[in-house]
Amino acid sequence: MNTLSSKRSAVSTFKRLLVFAKPYLKEILLSILLSAATTAASVGMLGTSAFLIATAALHPSIAVLQVSIVGVRTFGIARGVFRYLERLVSHSVNFRLLGRIRSWFFQSVEPLVPGGIEDMKSGDLLARSIQDIETLEDFYVRGIAPPLSAALVTIGISLFTLQYSITLAAILASGLILTGLVLTLQVRSLSQPRAEAVVTARAKLSALAADTVNGARTLLVSDSMEKHIKKIQSASVESSSANLSLAALHSSALALGILFSNLTLVAVLYIAIPLVRAGRIDGVTLAVLALITLAGFEPVNLLPASSAKIEVSMAAARRLFTIADRPHPVQEPSIPLEIENFRELVIRDLTFTYPGTARPALKDILLTVKPGWKIALVGPSGSGKSTLIKSIQKYLPVEDGMIFWNENDINTVNGSKLRSYQAVLSQNGYLFSATLAENLKLSGARNDEYSKVLKDVGLEKWFTALPDGFDTWLGDDAGQLSGGERQRLLLARTLLQNKPIILADEPVSNLDLSSEQEILQRLLKINSGIAVILATHRLISMELFNEILVMDGGCIVQRGTHNELASVDGLYRDLWQQQNNLFAFDR
């Protein structure tokens, strides 16, 4: 059953990969013809060379050799020209195909973010996006044109040999089929588990490499670098072992292909030599048949070894399709409502449970947000704050009648349009390795607005000290900025979007108290008409919020203003006292 399922999966993967090649069918057919022409020229060159050398040994007139001399020269030049054109066409098609697959994969993954791929490591996703797609080059270069070209060559040489002897034609065809089909299928069957191991080990190593780069500081501070390096070494050994196993099969396939070609040559000679003695063919023809036999195996001998690499491509493709076939976390309506601007957000009895878990992440949430309102979501980690923000963004599936945007059920609204009215500010916001102007340009604002917003977020002095102004290079993820400068710049980019509602998820949790307080105050006071929903576990500037929702275990356990909540016993007061005691201790 497993074998049958595996074969069906392989066939399905093969068909889906061919779909990408459909728009380039004419170029692929041209590549096949050029490949066949290259092999035909090679066969013609060797056959004519054999005829020339064998005939010359008999010391005939130069006129007898003239045609073969011209033929060798013609076939030699044609072989080089056809080979160049075949590589030019096949690689041109291949590059365009890989570009098309990259676009398709991005378009497939983009709707899954963030709710559909949270279980994946960034390094694994990066390996699929780059390495797995690049691996598909072997499928299109070695998996389509060469087998069809080899089939044409097999038919052509067999028909050519048939004029001398049916037995010779049968032996030659059998040898070509044995090598090009039987051996290829056997090698492919043996290479499938090895290919899976190669791709899996490579992805594991890429994920560990990404973790090393992204988490180097944490690993050093926690003194876990040595343990992490051992994981990398183990993954490297695993990857090397998988690649060596596949390489051994690849080499064995090449060796067997050469062995079969030579055995076929021996069989051809064994049958042809008695024909020479019987006068049915001459000695010159014998030499021609021998070299044509070897030339005919030139494209066929590559097929078994190539099948191992093709299987790696198939394994990589299955990894891509596994992600692309994931169901979207939120299904868009067939005829979505196109809302205009933001007037009101109402949440009624919102309950949400992540798939595979028993405890609800959110339970009976009630919330109303209007333009200009400032709402704080506070509570310990895991209380449901981030889940609530993702639900508002329509990144998580919710039942009908729970979230309303301008009195419209969120499940009837166009998700992209809804998110176009939201600006998101988080502690993990990304600043690109580019200039200051290029990072701010992502907001869609005009250049003349940059200076004002930098002043509003407290970066005026920082900006005036920059050597190249807006053309200053920020470095990889703004590595040249301090934590406070980085968060202020993210806030500036968020404000430049000029969206009616800002969703902030722990935007300043890694900063010192004074920087955190200053950034929050700027966020809440810059524009009184912008609604802000802030998720935080730090109770900073709580007096500036219209309403505070205290969450625990996915439920709202308290709600009110800062003064109201701080004056009564409850979770908020406990958190407030714990935080104040911690701050006092720090001082």
Side-chain angles (χ1 to χ4, degrees), residues 330-350:
V330 177
Q331 297 296 326
E332 291 290 341
S334 55
I335 306 178
L337 294 177
E338 297 293 336
I339 59 173
E340 295 183 1
N341 217 312
F342 163 67
R343 297 193 305 272
E344 183 182 55
L345 171 66
V346 177
I347 299 178
R348 301 173 185 167
D349 300 321
L350 173 61

Side-chain angles (χ1 to χ4, degrees), residues 548-560:
I548 301 171
L549 306 183
V550 186
M551 301 186 67
D552 188 27
C555 301
I556 298 176
V557 295
Q558 287 182 286
R559 65 194 315 154

Side-chain angles (χ1 to χ4, degrees), residues 120-129 131-132 135 195-211 235-236 238-239 242-243 315-316 319-320:
M120 292 188 61
K121 290 187 176 182
S122 59
D124 186 18
L125 185 59
L126 182 64
R128 294 175 198 250
S129 304
Q131 295 177 345
D132 287 350
T135 302
E196 293 284 354
V198 167
V199 174
T200 302
R202 183 177 62 192
K204 183 179 179 180
L205 197 57
S206 297
L208 287 171
D211 290 343
S236 181
E238 181 180 341
S239 179
N243 279 286
R319 280 169 45 83
L320 295 176

Side-chain angles (χ1 to χ4, degrees), residues 448-582:
D448 57 3
E449 299 178 75
Y450 296 168
S451 297
K452 181 181 181 302
V453 77
L454 291 178
K455 180 179 180 181
D456 290 340
V457 299
L459 287 176
E460 185 177 19
K461 292 183 178 179
W462 169 81
F463 175 71
T464 55
L466 293 178
D468 300 316
F470 286 111
D471 294 327
T472 301
W473 194 265
L474 299 183
D476 188 19
D477 196 17
Q480 301 182 36
L481 277 61
S482 67
E485 292 167 348
R486 187 181 187 282
Q487 291 303 122
R488 284 183 172 86
L489 190 54
L490 287 171
L491 174 59
R493 193 169 68 184
T494 301
L495 295 174
L496 280 171
Q497 296 178 47
N498 195 29
K499 299 299 177 64
I501 181 170
I502 294 177
L503 304 175
D505 189 3
E506 303 283 3
V508 287
S509 60
N510 294 326
L511 302 181
D512 59 84
L513 177 60
S514 60
S515 297
E516 183 175 350
Q517 192 167 17
E518 182 183 354
I519 292 176
L520 282 179
Q521 288 179 352
R522 291 180 183 275
L523 170 64
L524 298 172
K525 292 181 177 180
I526 283 177
N527 191 331
S528 59
I530 296 178
V532 177
I533 300 178
L534 172 72
T536 180
H537 66 279
R538 297 270 292 270
L539 309 184
I540 305 296
S541 302
M542 289 291 106
E543 67 278 0
L544 300 177
F545 290 91
N546 300 102
E547 186 177 26
I548 301 171
L549 306 183
V550 186
M551 301 186 67
D552 188 27
C555 301
I556 298 176
V557 295
Q558 287 182 286
R559 65 194 315 154
T561 64
H562 169 70
N563 291 333
E564 292 171 350
L565 296 173
S567 62
V568 298
D569 290 334
L571 178 58
Y572 183 85
R573 187 172 181 176
D574 293 341
L575 294 173
W576 178 257
Q577 290 177 347
Q578 290 174 12
Q579 180 174 284
N580 286 341
N581 290 337
L582 180 61

Side-chain angles (χ1 to χ4, degrees), residues 3 5 8 13 45 101 107 109 119-120 163 226 239 264 295 368 389 404 421 423 445 450 457 480 483 500 522 566:
T3 303
S5 176
R8 288 177 177 174
T13 302
M45 183 180 69
I101 293 173
Q107 292 170 359
V109 172
D119 59 321
M120 292 188 61
Q163 63 181 313
E226 185 176 348
S239 179
T264 303
T368 298
I389 287 182
F404 295 86
Y421 296 120
Y450 296 168
V457 299
Q480 301 182 36
R522 291 180 183 275

Side-chain angles (χ1 to χ4, degrees), residues 333 336-337 339 346 348 394 398-414 418:
L337 294 177
I339 59 173
V346 177
R348 301 173 185 167
K394 201 181 178 182
V398 298
E399 296 180 9
D400 294 340
M402 290 186 173
I403 301 180
F404 295 86
W405 187 279
N406 295 352
E407 301 179 354
N408 298 305
D409 192 306
I410 196 172
N411 290 322
T412 66
V413 174
N414 185 309
L418 181 148

